[in-house]
Amino acid sequence: EVQLLESGGDLVQPGGSLRLSCAASGFSFGTYSMNWVRQVPGKGLDWVSGASGSGGSINYADSVKGRFTMSRDNSKNTVYLQMNSLRAEDTAVYHCAKGVDFFVGSTFDYWGQGVLVTVSS
Amino acid sequence: QSALTQPASVSGSPGQSITISCTGTNNDVGNYNYVSWHQQHSGQAPKLMIYEVSNRPSGVSNRFSGSKSGNTASLTISGLQTEDEADYYCSSYTGNNIRIFGGGTKLTVL
């Protein structure tokens, strides 16, 4: 059974930093891309970042480029999202989502429940 | 990276069919057969219902079907059931390893 468990969500001040983690199990981790998708409560889905199965290709939405850094450790079956220079508009539930194949840009077949990141003073 | 356009809401009665549209551009929906649809019930994680325009993952009811014409993709749900009431999101590959979503459509089963 595929499981994705996010952690690291918190309340942080504007300009602050936070690191999210997503521990995966139940599939051959390095074979699939992984993604972060966020959702403002009551609003729609917003793709944030994706990493290929090897981690050799990582891409970002324009809204977070230069502030967020995604990485993955295939030895630990874990992906990370380092979020710096956080803004109020980054407040959202952040979901980890597994890609359907190796490549970034493929759709997502399993999702974690998500963690809440609140950016507020 | 503009969002795809979906109607804010659709509704139907049990047993009826409904269709949700997803309009993009020739840079995304119109240029790639990599459109997918996700269902999200309130308080739950999204669930993949359709991928690559018209393919259903294992376990998804054949009441759900997808299609595409030009820059517009569509999700059709036939034989509506009360448990189909949820939010539905389309997404598309846009090239350059980027994926975008639609704004979501709230389906109400009357």
Side-chain angles (χ1 to χ4, degrees):
Chain A
E1 179 192 6
V2 173
Q3 291 191 337
L4 301 171
L5 184 62
E6 303 95 338
S7 60
D10 206 347
L11 169 64
V12 61
Q13 292 189 341
S17 298
L18 203 59
R19 189 176 88 151
L20 305 183
S21 300
C22 171
S25 61
F27 62 100
S28 180
F29 186 71
T31 304
Y32 296 94
S33 61
M34 295 295 295
N35 299 266
W36 289 98
V37 179
R38 66 186 179 184
Q39 185 172 32
V40 174
K43 302 296 184 182
L45 301 170
D46 182 26
W47 179 83
V48 172
S49 182
S52 62
S54 65
S57 177
I58 300 177
N59 292 79
Y60 302 92
D62 286 346
S63 57
V64 306
K65 202 172 294 183
R67 301 187 299 122
F68 289 12
T69 302
M70 182 177 182
S71 60
R72 62 187 294 162
D73 185 339
N74 287 357
S75 69
K76 296 182 178 179
N77 287 7
T78 301
V79 292
Y80 305 96
L81 186 66
Q82 177 67 43
M83 303 185 293
N84 298 331
S85 303
L86 281 161
R87 306 167 180 168
E89 54 264 36
D90 295 318
T91 295
V93 172
Y94 284 72
H95 294 275
C96 173
K98 171 187 169 293
V100 297
D101 63 31
F102 183 90
F103 301 103
V104 183
S106 62
T107 193
F108 326 107
D109 56 356
Y110 290 94
W111 297 64
Q113 286 296 324
V115 290
L116 178 62
V117 173
T118 303
V119 184
S120 175
S121 54
Chain B
Q1 295 174 358
S2 299
L4 306 173
T5 300
Q6 298 181 233
S9 63
V10 298
S11 62
S13 300
Q16 289 185 333
S17 294
I18 63 95
T19 296
I20 299 171
S21 62
C22 169
T23 301
T25 71
N26 53 18
N27 292 320
D28 39 67
V29 174
N31 199 35
Y32 302 97
N33 288 324
Y34 293 123
V35 176
S36 61
W37 291 89
H38 286 84
Q39 175 194 65
Q40 187 179 35
H41 287 107
S42 180
Q44 297 187 19
K47 175 186 176 183
L48 180 65
M49 305 302 284
I50 296 287
Y51 66 97
E52 292 175 5
V53 176
S54 59
N55 295 304
R56 275 187 311 275
S58 174
V60 172
S61 170
N62 60 8
R63 298 186 299 104
F64 291 82
S65 62
S67 62
K68 190 185 86 167
S69 177
N71 295 338
T72 298
S74 299
L75 172 71
T76 298
I77 308 174
S78 59
L80 267 180
Q81 300 180 0
T82 55
E83 57 262 37
D84 298 333
E85 186 162 292
D87 295 324
Y88 291 84
Y89 295 92
C90 64
S91 73
S92 175
Y93 183 65
T94 69
N96 297 319
N97 295 336
I98 300 293
R99 198 158 187 99
I100 58 171
F101 284 96
T105 298
K106 182 178 181 60
L107 169 62
T108 300
V109 180
L110 304 169

